[in-house]
Amino acid sequence: MGTSSVPMLLLVLLCLNVHLGWLQFCYGSVTYDKKGIIINGHRKILISGSIHYPRSTPDMWGDLIQKGKDGGLDVIDTYVFWNGHEPSPGTYNFEGRYDLVGFIKTVQRTGLYVTLRIGPYVCAEWNFGGFPVWLKYVPGISFRTNNDPFKRAMQGFTQKIVQMMKSENLFASQGGPIILSQIENEFGPERWAFGAAGSAYVSWAAQMAVSLGTGVPWLMCKEDDAPDPVINTCNGFYCDGFVPNKPYKPMMWTEAWSGWYVNFLHFLPSLASSNPCLLSAVNLCSLTHRFTEFGGPVHQRPVEDLAFAVARFIVKGGSYFNYYMYHGGTNFGRTAGGPFITTSYDYDAPIDEYGLTRQPKYGHLKNLHGAIKLCESALTSSDATVTPLGNYEQAYVFRSRQGQCAAFLSNFHTNAPAMVIFNNMHYHLPAWSISILPDCRNVVFNTATVSKSHHISIPSWFPHFPDKSLSSIQVGVQTSQIQMLSTSSYMMYWATYNEYFSSSEERAMTTATGLLEQISLTKDTSDYLWYMTDVYISSSESFLYHGPTPTLTVASAGHALHVFINGKLSGSAYGTKTSWRFTFNGPVYLRAGNNRISLLSVAVGLPVSFFLLLLTQLVSFPLHDDCYMMNFFCLSLKNEGTHYETWKMGVLGPVTLQGLSQGTKDLSWQRWSYQVGLKGEGMNLESPNAASSGEWMQTLNVAQSNQPLTWYKAYFDAPYGNEPLALDVQGLGKGQVWINGQSIGRYWTLYAKGACNSCSYAGTYRLPNCQTGCGTPTQRWYHVPRSWLKPTRNLIVIFEELGGDASKIRLVKRAVTGLCAHASENHHTIENWNLESDGETMVHEAKVHLQCAQGRHISSINFASFGTPSGTCGSFVQSECHAPSSQAILEKDCVGHQNCTVAVSNINFGVDPCPDVLKKLSVEATCS
């Protein structure tokens, strides 16, 4: 051993150690230049995926992160959620789902890096944008601007998180996995609105973050003026047009949106040129992207387009990209932002809400990542040499210092494939796609080569999916059939408790003249606030004897309202994503004498952003009415202000009673009484400790208890197996559910309205594209983590607002029940390509891969044909060109195994069923 080997050996010993059986990596120094992030002197293409620790449970973290690693990720990205960690000033929570250190150490044990997006404003469709509600009531505070009270609070929390990471040696400079941190979040449009105060705040935030001495670079996303040394980054569906604000900063994409979105303002760029007020909205249009709301359709993004967007970014010099989300998860409890954001945060991500891989999205992106990594040396060594290959086609060629040549061949036409010549060879390029050639000769991946027909599949978690096919024929990438299956668990020992507001006098009340804003009273400790007043009706009123019934009109600033007159439900009204302000207008049945009017105002998540709320309103305006939209946008900035924390909600009036002999009676300035929350909440009825309370009434027929404002409880045993579980709330209306005291979130069986048409991957992704689920409940199934269950006697508590039928709820399990795969003889795939020791590349025969979920195995082959089969998964059809041994070969290689690989070749099937014809293998299997 030479003398130079000793220091290297010491470095290896320092950088590798076995910790609790896991391989732990030394991350060391992290710097950057224009070509990328440099870790320990090595420039890298970094592939990242967002997984938010509170949107899953600690027992899920290891599996989710391992699936990320198996899918080709280098980095796990997460926000830090201030309101989850500091629910009251100086009181901190880092336990359970909020165990941030535990989450990061799980990433570390898996051998991946971390991007820690401290914010502390996060948006993320999270309640109040991640800010604790108590922050709103700090004297003199103004959010996210050059305001001393806000800056003190923000700095205090940021320092708290940084110090916690330092004390656990989690920054890369300490040998930990955190290679990047983020301060603030998507501030660009806000900075424009705040003017000089916004710019001063950005400079302060950057300086404050850098002064904390983490030893890793800091990021600011969607902030073009990020001051040195902070790196400004891009968020959006496409970021290949993004340019860093300094030539020595790397091109980074912190949010490549993988699925759900509402892109309301694709029309704004054409308007901005005629009105300076809308200039910021051009950037902002890409911010309003990320949520599915109760009553809306589910949005999907075809994996072909997502892969194309990533490849476009890479060829333009991109060196870091992060999927938002890689696993979306669940908005447990009341963490969903608002208004109206669903409990599911599935996001059409590569790993679904329950932790199962979503195929073919997961597999196709995994192959993309492998292809990019084969080109890493060339990509990080040079800029592209660009050569036109046609009107819509180009070649991007990269060369490493060691002589590696990598090429990306693109076709930007939205519907026409192309045949191009590159390096004297012919290449077929599907429309809207890029082919990757790690050796400038052989194609190992094409972004659009997933399915022969370009129709996106309905997600398997969505209501009313078919029993069989969920997608088109897949080429080389497995498609999974995932179903919600019944379990042996049944709800037993039902009991009810009625939320009688007639007993409201037993609880503390606030009284005031006039109507008060809801959050100022609830402080977001409950979704519910009672507004109560009395109206005296003279016995001489004519409507008591004849004539029309009086009408009550209630103007509300959101989000839902239930009206009770003398203890009986008179009606309900709701806002929507396009109009969270609404008016209840309905007949009310009054009696002579005193009448109690009780209004139950219901929040469905607090706002997450001023701009997100404001721009949702523009959806309802005609696209041709440019002047009206521009005036609305600018006047709203003036009238409402940019501070979403100042926006009001609840019953703000007017409240009027019409149809009396004296005319319209304005109740707005009467004496009103207020009660925060429900009586059942005050009694902690959701807690197992209150399960034996004498307030519960046993019932033998829960279906007959169909009353509004009713609490239900029952018991059930955990089902066998390890499949993820969900609660089917079909039959319920609106409310909340708890399992063993843990809230699984808000439910609301609103039916989706939208434009659910066919979906093509080709062309720029827009709002009308790829909506699903119209005419069915936006969300029917709600995730129940297995770690929350005991073997027997699990307590379920439901609060039902509208009077649904609790007897119809069911516990179901989510399982991969079937697999399909399809590959042709010449299919390009990363598994079929490798670089030989002599520098030559070898392209191996194509293969079909099948894999069941953990704990399940391939029990049968339902279809197998090597030849020229047709059809789609679930309806494959054998043709005259068919190898007779197809079924037997697949059964021999696959049945009884969790996974199998089968070569697509004449040799494997012992015959060439149709010479001189390109053949393929189509397979459908069952997992059990």
Side-chain angles (χ1 to χ4, degrees):
M1 179 181 292
T3 57
S4 62
S5 300
V6 176
M8 183 168 292
L9 176 60
L10 291 175
L11 179 63
V12 170
L13 292 175
L14 286 171
C15 291
L16 290 176
N17 67 84
V18 177
H19 179 66
L20 298 179
W22 295 88
L23 190 62
Q24 189 168 339
F25 294 86
C26 173
Y27 300 97
S29 68
V30 182
T31 58
Y32 65 81
D33 63 13
K34 63 173 289 186
K35 290 300 292 179
I37 300 297
I38 303 170
I39 303 176
N40 291 334
H42 298 285
R43 192 181 291 112
K44 295 178 177 291
I45 299 292
L46 292 173
I47 303 171
S48 175
S50 290
I51 299 175
H52 293 162
Y53 53 98
R55 283 176 160 143
S56 55
T57 56
D59 71 298
M60 297 173 63
W61 293 344
D63 181 64
L64 294 174
I65 294 164
Q66 184 62 51
K67 284 175 177 171
K69 183 177 183 179
D70 294 342
L73 299 189
D74 304 299
V75 185
I76 299 298
D77 166 291
T78 186
Y79 282 127
V80 178
F81 298 86
W82 189 356
N83 54 8
H85 291 303
E86 193 176 5
S88 60
T91 301
Y92 295 100
N93 172 27
F94 290 95
E95 303 296 327
R97 291 187 293 112
Y98 291 97
D99 182 3
L100 175 60
V101 168
F103 178 78
I104 294 175
K105 287 185 175 181
T106 303
V107 178
Q108 184 177 28
R109 287 193 297 270
T110 310
L112 299 182
Y113 303 122
V114 173
T115 295
L116 191 65
R117 303 174 71 184
I118 298 175
Y121 170 76
V122 299
C123 187
E125 298 69 65
W126 188 267
N127 198 49
F128 214 44
F131 286 147
V133 171
W134 58 259
L135 191 67
K136 168 185 170 84
Y137 298 101
V138 171
I141 201 163
S142 183
F143 285 11
R144 304 179 74 198
T145 187
N146 195 29
N147 171 267
D148 287 340
F150 177 76
K151 291 193 295 184
R152 279 194 300 271
M154 173 177 168
Q155 182 171 359
F157 181 72
T158 304
Q159 288 176 328
K160 172 79 175 179
I161 297 300
V162 168
Q163 187 55 46
M164 180 178 290
M165 300 302 106
K166 284 184 175 181
S167 66
E168 298 287 342
N169 296 318
L170 292 177
F171 286 107
S173 56
Q174 304 170 292
I178 302 173
I179 58 169
L180 298 164
S181 293
Q182 180 180 299
I183 194 70
E184 247 300 332
N185 189 55
E186 298 179 327
F187 189 70
E190 311 278 349
R191 178 181 51 78
W192 171 86
F194 290 143
S199 297
Y201 165 67
V202 166
S203 296
W204 169 85
Q207 189 175 34
M208 181 270 290
V210 173
S211 72
L212 296 176
T214 62
V216 301
W218 285 86
L219 313 176
M220 278 187 172
C221 67
K222 296 294 289 184
E223 179 45 66
D224 294 340
D225 286 349
D228 284 353
V230 176
I231 306 168
N232 67 307
T233 68
C234 182
N235 291 357
F237 290 111
Y238 307 94
C239 280
D240 50 300
F242 169 74
V243 179
N245 63 12
K246 295 293 174 59
Y248 45 81
K249 293 181 181 180
M251 184 174 170
M252 299 180 65
W253 189 2
T254 36
E255 290 188 14
W257 297 330
S258 61
W260 290 355
Y261 84 120
V262 181
N263 187 11
F264 299 131
L265 301 180
H266 55 272
F267 47 81
L268 272 179
S270 63
L271 308 180
S273 59
S274 61
N275 190 322
C277 178
L278 286 182
L279 285 174
S280 72
V282 174
N283 284 332
L284 182 62
C285 69
S286 63
L287 291 180
T288 54
H289 65 285
R290 301 191 292 224
F291 61 87
T292 289
E293 72 291 335
F294 290 114
V298 174
H299 298 265
Q300 294 181 295
R301 187 176 187 186
V303 67
E304 299 96 326
D305 180 65
L306 179 56
F308 183 52
V310 168
R312 285 165 55 175
F313 178 72
I314 291 295
V315 301
K316 290 299 182 71
S319 59
Y320 173 103
F321 60 92
N322 173 68
Y323 295 105
Y324 190 100
M325 300 291 296
Y326 200 76
H327 165 73
T330 306
N331 292 318
F332 295 113
R334 297 168 50 249
T335 60
F340 311 114
I341 293 172
T342 55
T343 295
S344 172
Y345 201 65
D346 179 271
Y347 222 95
D348 193 36
I351 303 175
D352 73 11
E353 176 181 3
Y354 299 85
L356 301 180
T357 56
R358 171 173 278 112
Q359 299 287 14
K361 181 170 277 190
Y362 175 89
H364 192 56
L365 294 179
K366 175 181 179 178
N367 289 343
L368 168 66
H369 304 157
I372 291 172
K373 288 295 185 179
L374 288 173
C375 306
E376 184 174 44
S377 177
L379 289 169
T380 57
S381 299
S382 66
D383 294 328
T385 300
V386 184
T387 304
L389 301 177
N391 292 332
Y392 296 89
E393 301 81 36
Q394 289 180 313
Y396 299 81
V397 179
F398 301 83
R399 296 184 184 276
S400 71
R401 295 182 182 89
Q402 293 75 28
Q404 180 192 3
C405 176
F408 291 68
L409 310 183
S410 67
N411 177 11
F412 274 76
H413 201 289
T414 58
N415 52 48
M419 184 66 73
V420 300
I421 298 176
F422 172 71
N423 282 350
N424 298 317
M425 297 179 67
H426 290 82
Y427 295 91
H428 176 263
L429 297 177
W432 200 252
S433 78
I434 290 179
S435 286
I436 300 178
L437 293 68
D439 59 355
C440 286
R441 288 180 297 171
N442 294 291
V443 176
V444 300
F445 183 84
N446 177 271
T447 59
T449 307
V450 178
S451 59
K452 288 209 164 184
S453 60
H454 304 301
H455 297 285
I456 197 163
S457 64
I458 296 173
S460 53
W461 58 268
F462 196 78
H464 307 304
F465 50 81
D467 288 339
K468 291 288 186 179
S469 174
L470 294 178
S471 67
S472 306
I473 298 177
Q474 303 305 315
V475 183
V477 176
Q478 174 179 296
T479 301
S480 300
Q481 299 173 355
I482 302 181
Q483 296 179 339
M484 293 296 192
L485 305 176
S486 60
T487 68
S488 57
S489 295
Y490 297 97
M491 305 301 164
M492 304 173 288
Y493 314 119
W494 282 100
T496 64
Y497 171 79
N498 291 319
E499 184 76 25
Y500 290 120
F501 57 85
S502 58
S503 62
S504 60
E505 290 75 8
E506 301 174 8
R507 296 193 292 137
M509 288 191 292
T510 299
T511 59
T513 299
L515 297 164
L516 301 181
E517 194 272 336
Q518 182 166 339
I519 303 303
S520 66
L521 293 175
T522 67
K523 301 296 191 292
D524 196 39
T525 58
S526 172
D527 281 351
Y528 304 98
L529 178 66
W530 283 105
Y531 292 73
M532 295 171 287
T533 192
D534 294 322
V535 174
Y536 183 81
I537 297 297
S538 171
S539 60
S540 62
E541 279 286 351
S542 59
F543 75 82
L544 295 172
Y545 308 101
H546 58 82
T549 301
T551 298
L552 181 69
T553 300
V554 181
S556 173
H559 303 129
L561 182 72
H562 306 303
V563 177
F564 293 82
I565 305 296
N566 295 322
K568 294 184 178 180
L569 180 64
S570 185
S572 300
Y574 313 98
T576 66
K577 75 171 191 292
T578 56
S579 181
W580 61 92
R581 298 176 185 269
F582 63 92
T583 299
F584 170 86
N585 194 66
V588 290
Y589 298 94
L590 304 173
R591 62 196 178 202
N594 199 51
N595 293 264
R596 171 56 63 96
I597 297 178
S598 300
L599 311 176
L600 183 58
S601 181
V602 187
V604 190
L606 298 192
V608 300
S609 163
F610 160 75
F611 283 99
L612 193 62
L613 282 170
L614 172 61
L615 294 176
T616 57
Q617 307 304 289
L618 293 177
V619 181
S620 58
F621 299 152
L623 295 188
H624 63 271
D625 197 348
D626 298 352
C627 181
Y628 186 79
M629 284 196 299
M630 289 188 291
N631 287 339
F632 173 85
F633 185 85
C634 300
L635 286 174
S636 294
L637 282 176
K638 178 180 178 181
N639 297 335
E640 299 283 4
T642 54
H643 296 280
Y644 74 89
E645 73 272 16
T646 67
W647 283 37
K648 298 179 179 180
M649 62 175 295
V651 178
L652 302 181
V655 178
T656 60
L657 192 59
Q658 303 156 33
L660 303 180
S661 298
Q662 64 192 40
T664 298
K665 182 177 179 64
D666 189 345
L667 308 180
S668 307
W669 291 98
Q670 287 199 165
R671 194 74 173 167
W672 288 83
S673 298
Y674 301 88
Q675 282 189 336
V676 174
L678 306 168
K679 186 178 180 182
E681 288 179 313
M683 298 164 58
N684 294 318
L685 288 184
E686 77 282 359
S687 169
N689 296 329
S692 60
S693 170
E695 303 286 348
W696 290 103
M697 294 184 61
Q698 300 299 317
T699 178
L700 297 177
N701 192 344
V702 68
Q704 293 182 353
S705 303
N706 192 359
Q707 298 294 322
L709 302 190
T710 300
W711 294 80
Y712 299 88
K713 76 166 183 176
Y715 292 91
F716 65 93
D717 295 338
Y720 294 110
N722 59 3
E723 298 92 346
L725 301 175
L727 194 68
D728 184 350
V729 301
Q730 189 174 21
L732 295 179
K734 180 181 181 299
Q736 299 180 40
V737 182
W738 295 262
I739 303 288
N740 292 329
Q742 301 267 14
S743 173
I744 67 171
R746 303 182 183 100
Y747 68 85
W748 197 355
T749 50
L750 281 182
Y751 282 70
K753 298 178 181 178
C756 296
N757 300 314
S758 61
C759 172
S760 172
Y761 80 88
T764 302
Y765 192 44
R766 296 297 191 194
L767 172 64
N769 299 14
C770 306
Q771 299 181 18
T772 62
C774 298
T776 62
T778 301
Q779 185 174 354
R780 173 179 166 185
W781 290 290
Y782 292 77
H783 183 203
V784 178
R786 276 196 178 263
S787 61
W788 290 3
L789 300 184
K790 305 177 295 183
T792 60
R793 200 169 172 77
N794 294 280
L795 173 67
I796 179 171
V797 175
I798 303 165
F799 175 66
E800 169 60 40
E801 296 177 23
L802 303 179
D805 184 354
S807 68
K808 293 183 178 179
I809 66 170
R810 295 288 185 270
L811 192 68
V812 297
K813 60 183 178 181
R814 181 165 169 78
V816 178
T817 57
L819 306 172
C820 287
H822 177 91
S824 59
E825 289 178 296
N826 66 348
H827 175 60
H828 316 301
T829 178
I830 194 71
E831 288 90 348
N832 303 335
W833 188 97
N834 69 280
L835 186 66
E836 300 296 301
S837 59
D838 59 1
E840 294 296 314
T841 54
M842 178 69 69
V843 180
H844 301 283
E845 60 191 3
K847 297 181 178 67
V848 155
H849 307 275
L850 297 175
Q851 181 168 354
C852 297
Q854 185 175 1
R856 301 177 75 85
H857 65 275
I858 299 170
S859 56
S860 65
I861 301 297
N862 304 325
F863 180 90
S865 177
F866 173 67
T868 57
S870 59
T872 62
C873 181
S875 59
F876 286 130
V877 177
Q878 178 181 309
S879 71
E880 292 184 3
C881 175
H882 167 73
S885 62
S886 301
Q887 185 84 14
I889 294 291
L890 267 295
E891 289 177 347
K892 175 179 176 292
D893 291 347
C894 298
V895 171
H897 302 285
Q898 182 188 354
N899 57 76
C900 64
T901 300
V902 180
V904 185
S905 67
N906 295 331
I907 295 175
N908 190 43
F909 289 93
V911 66
D912 184 347
C914 42
D916 301 322
V917 173
L918 180 66
K919 289 165 284 296
K920 52 197 174 184
L921 173 62
S922 296
V923 183
E924 180 182 345
T926 296
C927 293
S928 64

